[in-house]
Amino acid sequence: MRKRLLPPLCSLLAAPAFAAELQIGVEIPRLEVAEYHRPYVAIWLEKPDQQHVADLAVWYDLKMKDKEGEKWLKDLRQWWRRSGRGLELPVDGVSGATRAVGTHNLTFGGDSAQLKNLPAGEYSLVVEAAREVGGRELLRVPFAWPPRQAEQHQAQGKSELGTVTLQLKP
């Protein structure tokens, strides 16, 4: 009996653990405006042809009565067209409250629900922000998955977003 279990057990132990990691930093800048509202933000992955692959985060006003905050998600136009309108909100592990001024960090391991079935290839991290009585901005950060070495990429916003950083670890 031991001999039959040994080969399958050895193959499990010899299989490499998928430890790749994706770390994201999203800066919400301080704006000097008369009426400031925290931005709604959507963060997702897409292929080079802009086909939606996975939602990573959607920050909006979850506490408005009668789910009123959900109706403003349409202002995140690109995300809404690619993914949002087909979702039943809130989405577990994706939906979250709006964020204050500052840098907000997210980390996704290779075994996370969003990445575990992601085929090797070229992708973009997309961050879109829209603010009531404000503007709208979208940034794309291209990258290859899975990473072969530690890498860092970034994009700089001009209005609704500050610096968006993407760190990849093999």
Side-chain angles (χ1 to χ4, degrees):
M1 177 144 324
R2 282 186 191 176
K3 289 181 181 180
R4 281 189 238 151
L5 291 176
L6 194 55
L9 183 59
C10 288
S11 67
L12 283 175
L13 294 173
F18 191 62
E21 187 176 85
L22 185 142
Q23 295 178 339
I24 303 164
V26 177
E27 180 186 14
I28 309 259
R30 180 170 306 281
L31 302 175
E32 299 301 324
V33 294
E35 186 178 342
Y36 179 80
H37 297 272
R38 290 181 178 185
Y40 280 25
V41 176
I43 304 167
W44 72 95
L45 300 178
E46 67 183 21
K47 293 181 180 179
D49 65 359
Q50 298 184 357
Q51 179 184 355
H52 176 271
V53 175
D55 288 313
L56 301 178
V58 180
W59 302 335
Y60 65 99
D61 194 341
L62 295 163
K63 294 183 179 180
M64 292 182 90
K65 68 177 185 172
D66 300 325
K67 298 183 179 184
E68 186 77 14
E70 291 179 12
K71 88 176 193 179
W72 301 108
L73 287 170
K74 295 174 187 163
D75 288 347
L76 296 167
R77 293 183 204 139
Q78 295 298 313
W79 172 78
W80 184 256
R81 289 181 191 135
R82 287 171 174 73
S83 174
R85 66 176 148 208
L87 295 175
E88 187 173 325
L89 297 162
V91 179
D92 186 38
V94 173
S95 295
T98 58
R99 303 296 199 268
V101 168
T103 300
H104 305 279
N105 298 303
L106 302 161
T107 300
F108 299 90
D111 60 348
S112 68
Q114 294 91 338
L115 300 179
K116 70 180 175 185
N117 295 320
L118 190 65
E122 299 295 317
Y123 296 93
S124 286
L125 168 72
V126 186
V127 181
E128 183 176 19
R131 191 171 50 83
E132 183 182 354
V133 193
R136 189 181 144 280
E137 188 165 23
L138 183 130
L139 296 174
R140 284 189 172 85
V141 182
F143 69 97
W145 185 261
R148 295 191 176 147
Q149 62 186 20
E151 300 175 28
Q152 181 166 328
H153 306 277
Q154 72 177 34
Q156 181 62 49
K158 293 184 173 113
S159 58
E160 300 302 325
L161 293 166
T163 303
V164 171
T165 58
L166 172 62
Q167 291 182 9
L168 300 164
K169 296 180 181 179

